[in-house]
Amino acid sequence: PPAIFLHTLAVVPSMLGDKRGAEVGYVTHILGVHDNIKAKGGASDTMWAGVTLEKACEGMAIDPSTIWEKGQGSLWDARLFPVASSRQESARLSLSFLAAATQAGSGFQGAQGNTLVSLKQSLDAKHATAQLAHRKEVLGKMDAS
């Protein structure tokens, strides 16, 4: 989508409360290029990808009171991003969350059953070994072409 940034990170799922037992999980962060990830506010005035978090939560069928521990915060600590078992599934899930967040009345129910984490949580649970292995793989492909 235009003006949107995606970043996928390998994480240790057990550090995020994910109970699937996988050694490596993936979280794709999606942000608007104009989002201010550190600006504090409530769901009605914090913007994410061009919509308020209140509207985004409505579209994603998430109770806005559950995205922050203290009822308000910033995009940095808003639990909006699903943990997935592969990079591809992570990107697909996050893009479907974004579509639901920005399209009213989508009937989306994908948030149910998924562990949702914040930018802060996922960076704290980063799986550095898996990230480095992926980086080496990508660099090898670039060198080969």
Side-chain angles (χ1 to χ4, degrees):
I4 297 294
F5 171 80
L6 281 80
H7 173 256
T8 301
L9 183 66
V11 295
V12 179
S14 61
M15 290 178 68
L16 298 169
D18 189 271
K19 309 265 190 272
R20 290 179 268 191
E23 184 178 320
V24 179
Y26 299 90
V27 176
T28 298
H29 305 123
I30 296 184
L31 298 165
V33 296
H34 301 291
D35 289 346
N36 182 345
I37 65 170
K38 294 289 189 162
K40 297 226 181 250
S44 63
D45 56 0
T46 301
M47 299 297 290
W48 178 53
V51 297
T52 65
L53 278 180
E54 184 174 61
K55 181 176 188 266
C57 286
E58 180 182 320
M60 296 186 299
I62 297 173
D63 179 352
S65 69
T66 64
I67 61 172
W68 291 301
E69 287 182 23
K70 298 177 183 169
Q72 65 177 17
S74 65
L75 288 178
W76 177 247
D77 53 9
R79 293 184 295 268
L80 298 171
F81 308 104
V83 179
S85 58
S86 71
R87 288 182 186 281
Q88 295 81 1
E89 178 67 5
S90 177
R92 186 195 67 72
L93 262 176
S94 289
L95 285 168
S96 66
F97 273 53
L98 175 66
T102 57
Q103 298 168 9
S106 69
F108 180 77
Q109 296 296 314
Q112 296 170 1
N114 283 296
T115 301
L116 300 179
V117 298
S118 67
L119 286 160
K120 180 186 182 326
Q121 289 173 309
S122 57
L123 288 169
D124 287 346
K126 179 180 174 180
H127 195 303
T129 306
Q131 261 321 98
L132 183 58
H134 178 69
R135 182 178 178 181
K136 286 180 180 180
E137 179 185 336
V138 170
L139 289 173
K141 288 179 181 180
M142 289 171 44
D143 288 341
S145 55

